Amino acid sequence: MESLAAYQQKIEALDLLVARLTHSRQQLISRRDAAARRGFPSATEPSKEPDEMLPKAAPLPSDLPAPVDDGATAHLPGRTLPALPFTGTDGSDIRLDTASDGRWVLFLYPLTGDPAADIPEGWNEIPGARGCSQEACSFRDNLDALRAAGVDRVLALSSDRADYQQALVDRLHLPYPMLSDPRLTLADDLKLPTFEANGQRLYRRLTLVLRGATIEHVFYPVFPPDTHADEVAQWCRNHRDA
């Protein structure tokens, strides 16, 4: 009899396949509609997908260890983001120091990875490591609340490969770009906290609230990740006139 982990691995591999097929299907639909619009009047844009229809990440285990504040981000408020260029999962070219003139949010997470592969050994035991998909859904589901609180833009960044991030965007219908930083160039520039798991150096989970290129506030550590976006929206509401 196969273990629960083996079943979960197969389910996640199928999720990845479904995401890729869905992405291909959406591309074909877009091309078909674009071709139709060349010969016919534009149709009304489809309504936004209801929240209850969006795919959800699995609930987090209740016994995850909470991370503690080790002071590793105390130097960040007031710092300016470097002029690092990235390509978002939406195909846009994004330079961090010019990502937005207003208030915006950049959340950093450690690892999504390949759903067909096992998570790193001992992942659940590393404080703050588990919950990347859940956090991504939290920002997706709270995007309207963040905008209402004055947030112009939301971006996510990790050391994940771009194709893993694209699969996550497709599978969870994420409405904001993800940025791939496999060499952890931002971590090295800003001296951000990282950790190692199975020989990989990864970002520790943290969120930057920025005004233009300047860091206003840092959420670190982030826990629990599945409700974090609501915490960010509340802070932005309380400091809207700052």
Side-chain angles (χ1 to χ4, degrees):
M1 183 176 178
E2 293 188 88
S3 67
L4 291 175
Y7 284 123
Q8 184 62 30
Q9 180 178 341
K10 291 180 178 180
I11 290 169
E12 291 177 344
L14 286 172
D15 285 342
L16 179 60
L17 177 60
V18 169
R20 287 173 175 167
L21 290 172
T22 300
H23 180 62
S24 296
R25 181 177 183 273
Q26 290 301 322
Q27 285 184 318
L28 289 172
I29 290 173
S30 296
R31 291 171 185 168
R32 180 202 65 190
D33 292 347
R37 285 194 294 270
R38 285 195 289 269
F40 299 93
S42 297
T44 302
E45 289 294 323
S47 59
K48 182 180 176 183
E49 188 172 6
D51 287 347
E52 61 269 17
M53 299 297 292
L54 291 169
K56 305 294 183 183
L60 289 172
S62 60
D63 58 350
L64 291 176
V68 297
D69 189 351
D70 57 5
T73 63
H75 65 290
L76 290 175
R79 288 284 301 272
T80 300
L81 290 185
L84 291 175
F86 296 97
T87 299
T89 47
D90 61 352
S92 62
D93 293 324
I94 297 170
R95 208 178 79 177
L96 291 185
D97 64 328
T98 58
S100 174
D101 292 330
R103 175 175 279 170
W104 61 288
V105 171
L106 175 65
F107 72 93
L108 283 67
Y109 64 95
L111 179 70
T112 300
D114 184 351
D118 290 334
I119 62 174
E121 185 178 354
W123 192 247
N124 282 357
E125 285 70 51
I126 301 172
R130 182 75 183 271
C132 298
S133 296
Q134 290 80 3
E135 183 179 20
C137 288
S138 174
F139 275 98
R140 177 198 68 190
D141 297 343
N142 284 277
L143 194 58
D144 286 343
L146 287 160
R147 287 173 175 159
V151 174
D152 291 343
R153 192 172 199 182
V154 171
L155 297 174
L157 182 144
S158 75
S159 60
D160 267 343
R161 281 171 34 184
D163 57 332
Y164 292 169
Q165 292 182 333
Q166 187 62 61
L168 185 71
V169 167
D170 294 341
R171 179 162 56 90
L172 297 179
H173 300 189
L174 302 181
Y176 51 82
M178 290 189 148
L179 312 177
S180 175
D181 185 16
R183 296 181 180 178
L184 285 86
T185 53
L186 182 60
D188 291 340
D189 191 288
L190 290 180
K191 303 297 186 290
L192 301 179
T194 62
F195 69 101
E196 288 197 8
N198 283 11
Q200 287 183 283
R201 182 178 171 225
L202 305 167
Y203 279 101
R204 288 199 179 276
R205 194 183 308 280
L206 64 91
T207 296
L208 305 177
V209 180
L210 302 111
R211 182 80 69 172
T214 303
I215 299 171
E216 276 192 292
H217 184 73
V218 183
F219 288 91
Y220 175 85
V222 170
F223 191 82
D226 56 346
T227 59
H228 175 55
D230 181 66
E231 178 186 18
V232 176
Q234 184 62 53
W235 186 93
C236 290
R237 283 192 290 269
N238 292 342
H239 297 82
R240 186 158 188 174
D241 298 327

